[in-house]
Amino acid sequence: MLLGASAVTFLPRVLPLVVLSRIQLPEWGLRWLQHIPIAVMSALLAQELLVSNGSFLPSWLGLLAALPTLVAAYLTRSLLITVVTGIAAMMLIRYLSAFI
């Protein structure tokens, strides 16, 4: 079971790398691939901030924590600093909301 689960997880990640490393992609393909991380992060962020309990209701605590996170992302352009800022902001907001 573990070997099967490992193969199912490993193969879809490794096979594209192996195949794509052996061929030269056209310039338009490389430009298109540059937008994938931004699209994935935007989809994950929108789902986390705008969908709550299966309905289209914004999470106010999430939106509040997103503000300093977006500022950190804009100023530093660093994924690590952005993620750490978001985690710290959410921790602080949840801690403070326990007293309200």
Side-chain angles (χ1 to χ4, degrees), residues 1 3 11 18-19 22-23 30 32 46 50-51 53 55 57 71 76 85 91 93:
M1 181 97 140
L3 290 175
L11 288 176
V18 170
V19 171
R22 296 174 191 245
I23 62 173
L30 293 174
W32 181 78
L50 301 176
V51 177
N53 295 328
S55 61
L57 294 171
V71 170
T76 66
T85 302
M91 285 174 44
I93 290 169

Side-chain angles (χ1 to χ4, degrees), residues 46-62:
Q47 179 183 3
E48 183 64 32
L49 294 179
L50 301 176
V51 177
S52 179
N53 295 328
S55 61
F56 191 69
L57 294 171
S59 165
W60 297 109
L61 295 179

Side-chain angles (χ1 to χ4, degrees), residues 6-96:
S6 298
V8 168
T9 302
F10 183 73
L11 288 176
R13 295 176 187 196
V14 172
L15 283 179
L17 289 175
V18 170
V19 171
L20 291 176
S21 68
R22 296 174 191 245
I23 62 173
Q24 181 67 28
L25 293 174
E27 183 63 33
W28 63 267
L30 293 174
R31 281 195 317 268
W32 181 78
L33 287 173
Q34 289 177 343
H35 298 288
I36 291 176
I38 296 168
V40 169
M41 287 300 292
S42 299
L44 291 172
L45 181 64
Q47 179 183 3
E48 183 64 32
L49 294 179
L50 301 176
V51 177
S52 179
N53 295 328
S55 61
F56 191 69
L57 294 171
S59 165
W60 297 109
L61 295 179
L63 290 173
L64 191 59
L67 293 175
T69 306
L70 291 174
V71 170
Y74 180 76
L75 294 176
T76 66
R77 309 277 182 191
S78 167
L79 181 61
L80 178 64
I81 292 173
T82 302
V83 169
V84 169
T85 302
I87 291 170
M90 196 64 188
M91 285 174 44
L92 181 65
I93 290 169
R94 285 186 177 172
Y95 177 75
L96 293 176

